[in-house]
Amino acid sequence: MQFNFDSGVPLFQQVNDQIEEGILDGTFPELTQIPSTTEISQAFKINPATVLKGVNLLVANGLVEKRRGIGVFVKQGAQEQVRTARKAKFLEEAVTQIVQQAQELNISKTQLIKLIESRYQA
Amino acid sequence: MKSINLTFETGHIYGLLGRNGAGKSTLLNLINNRMFVSDGTIALDGHPIKNNEQALNQLFMTSEDTLYPGDMRVKKMWRTTQDFYGTFDWSFAKRLARNFNLDPNFKLKKLSTGNRSIAKLITALGAPTKFIFLDEPTLGMDATNRDIFYQALLEKFGSGDQSLILSTHLIQEVEKMIDHIFVIDHGQLIEDQSVEAVQSHAFAISGSETLIKEHIASSKIMSVEPFGKQYKVYVRNYNLADLPDSLHAESLDLQAYFVKLTNRGTF
């Protein structure tokens, strides 16, 4: 995990995003416990209230759940949920951006598709 | 120091920032009744702290000045704190002393400058008061000891019912830990905002001089850097949604923000 103050993304959002990333890549498997607020706070020198805000966002999105007195656990189906959300975001943002930039640079649709295909073959 | 109005609440880690000689220590001394205000009031929960023992018992301050005699042993300093404030977090203090590799049986005058700062810090972190004020606590501390200190304060503050007010020049080291900043400049309070609000509204905006003058209100500009035909302005309280496509914005870290805020260029 890495947190950048000047990335333009609020820190609590970065906490949410990084844990989401961990759920997606299997660092935090489903039904297992994620590090506590105190652990995250101390390891990355982040204000505990900020960490809590990020974790609460994950709770609100149904990716993790708090078990009283024990800790926070990744919910079943969370990995698929993150993947679906990221897929939608990728299609919406990344693809739109690529097409837009290609148009600005006068790269034709055929050329762009060829470029993408060549990356798959490589 | 004039027309300063600020409020501390519990459950926070505050950063008190300012350049050398800006008035940070004076402000902390005034709040902690070590200096007296000629005009105005310092109050806790609405009750002025002057001659108010109950209120003063909720404030603890550590600064460069050592108010303890050199012959005093570290653990005696803790005992004195307990006698004065009612309780003391002995297990936390002992654990911290171990982490810092500090022997509580040592006399203060036998400690190195760095270790004496550490002893005073541990005393402050073990105190039960609602508000703890640390004036330049990491002065003379090595990087490893600062790391131990930061971990300790994150364990103790930021939630719960105590608050820490930290005056420091090491902004980059604390920018993710503090949740609210006060900036003092020439004896005046020029910033009082949550770090999240500062972070999401401070940018370096670049573009042509004409476009910048047309689109960026001068009241929001902290500093200007001409760069060939390009202009770069550092802005605060700026809403990114107002940025036209023709200008480019970059986020600032807290240190860059502070430097631009307290070292104003001319337009």
Side-chain angles (χ1 to χ4, degrees), chain B residues 10-121:
Chain B
T10 50
H12 290 275
I13 301 175
Y14 291 98
L16 178 64
L17 312 178
R19 299 186 61 188
N20 296 323
K24 300 183 298 292
S25 298
T26 306
L27 179 65
L28 291 178
N29 283 326
L30 289 169
I31 294 170
N32 286 275
N33 211 36
R34 293 189 186 181
M35 281 167 69
F36 303 108
V37 285
S38 50
D39 189 21
T41 319
I42 315 281
L44 179 73
D45 294 334
H47 305 290
I49 59 160
K50 203 177 167 188
N51 303 323
N52 178 351
E53 201 182 324
Q54 217 180 339
L56 290 170
N57 278 346
Q58 290 304 334
L59 312 177
F60 191 101
M61 176 177 169
T62 289
S63 63
E64 225 189 319
D65 320 319
T66 301
L67 306 173
Y68 302 94
D71 271 336
M72 192 182 260
R73 291 180 199 280
V74 174
K75 60 182 181 189
K76 173 71 178 165
M77 184 162 67
W78 297 346
R79 173 72 56 192
T80 308
T81 307
Q82 171 170 311
D83 291 345
F84 197 83
Y85 292 97
T87 56
F88 185 75
D89 194 341
W90 286 90
S91 64
F92 187 62
K94 284 179 180 165
R95 181 155 55 87
L96 267 181
R98 266 199 307 276
N99 291 348
F100 278 119
N101 216 353
L102 176 89
D103 184 350
N105 294 309
F106 265 55
K107 287 181 177 173
L108 289 172
K109 64 177 178 193
K110 293 275 182 190
L111 296 173
S112 67
T113 314
N115 277 344
R116 204 173 310 128
S117 307
I118 288 167
K120 288 194 301 185
L121 258 183

Side-chain angles (χ1 to χ4, degrees), chain B residues 15-265:
Chain B
L16 178 64
L17 312 178
R19 299 186 61 188
N20 296 323
K24 300 183 298 292
S25 298
T26 306
L27 179 65
L28 291 178
N29 283 326
L30 289 169
I31 294 170
N32 286 275
N33 211 36
R34 293 189 186 181
M35 281 167 69
F36 303 108
V37 285
S38 50
D39 189 21
T41 319
I42 315 281
L44 179 73
D45 294 334
H47 305 290
I49 59 160
K50 203 177 167 188
N51 303 323
N52 178 351
E53 201 182 324
Q54 217 180 339
L56 290 170
N57 278 346
Q58 290 304 334
L59 312 177
F60 191 101
M61 176 177 169
T62 289
S63 63
E64 225 189 319
D65 320 319
T66 301
L67 306 173
Y68 302 94
D71 271 336
M72 192 182 260
R73 291 180 199 280
V74 174
K75 60 182 181 189
K76 173 71 178 165
M77 184 162 67
W78 297 346
R79 173 72 56 192
T80 308
T81 307
Q82 171 170 311
D83 291 345
F84 197 83
Y85 292 97
T87 56
F88 185 75
D89 194 341
W90 286 90
S91 64
F92 187 62
K94 284 179 180 165
R95 181 155 55 87
L96 267 181
R98 266 199 307 276
N99 291 348
F100 278 119
N101 216 353
L102 176 89
D103 184 350
N105 294 309
F106 265 55
K107 287 181 177 173
L108 289 172
K109 64 177 178 193
K110 293 275 182 190
L111 296 173
S112 67
T113 314
N115 277 344
R116 204 173 310 128
S117 307
I118 288 167
K120 288 194 301 185
L121 258 183
I122 298 176
T123 310
L125 296 181
T129 62
K130 274 189 180 157
F131 295 94
I132 291 174
F133 299 82
L134 302 178
D135 192 7
E136 287 286 347
T138 52
L139 218 62
M141 273 167 69
D142 66 40
T144 313
N145 279 335
R146 293 204 299 277
D147 198 72
I148 298 170
F149 164 60
Y150 295 142
Q151 282 201 15
L153 73 84
L154 285 168
E155 182 180 334
K156 195 96 183 167
F157 303 95
S159 52
D161 55 3
Q162 281 187 303
S163 257
L164 182 78
I165 296 91
L166 187 65
S167 123
T168 183
H169 292 298
L170 301 178
I171 301 174
Q172 273 174 331
E173 292 190 0
V174 303
E175 68 183 3
K176 289 182 268 186
M177 297 193 285
I178 55 182
D179 54 24
H180 194 106
I181 57 165
F182 295 104
V183 179
I184 307 290
D185 197 40
H186 295 103
Q188 286 187 302
L189 182 68
I190 60 167
E191 181 63 283
D192 171 0
Q193 265 199 101
S194 79
V195 171
E196 204 177 299
V198 169
Q199 188 204 11
S200 50
H201 294 100
F203 303 96
I205 297 179
S206 44
S208 76
E209 183 181 352
T210 330
L211 277 170
I212 283 188
K213 284 191 168 160
E214 190 179 329
H215 289 286
I216 312 293
S218 59
S219 62
K220 295 186 188 280
I221 296 177
M222 298 186 284
S223 168
V224 179
E225 270 173 21
F227 192 73
K229 285 200 167 174
Q230 285 285 101
Y231 249 67
K232 194 175 208 177
V233 289
Y234 293 85
V235 297
R236 64 193 291 223
N237 300 328
Y238 187 80
N239 206 341
L240 200 57
D242 297 338
L243 189 80
D245 285 341
S246 46
L247 294 175
H248 176 72
E250 282 167 77
S251 296
L252 299 180
D253 67 14
L254 200 58
Q255 175 150 304
Y257 176 74
F258 171 80
V259 169
K260 297 304 171 190
L261 184 65
T262 55
N263 184 16
R264 286 159 182 265

Side-chain angles (χ1 to χ4, degrees), chain A residues 73-99:
Chain A
F73 287 76
V74 181
K75 283 172 78 169
Q76 187 142 33
Q79 194 182 29
E80 196 47 44
Q81 197 185 324
V82 175
R83 190 174 288 127
T84 309
R86 295 262 169 134
K87 231 185 240 175
K89 199 177 166 197
F90 173 74
L91 292 173
E92 179 63 33
E93 291 174 10
V95 177
T96 309
Q97 211 175 26
I98 290 171
V99 172

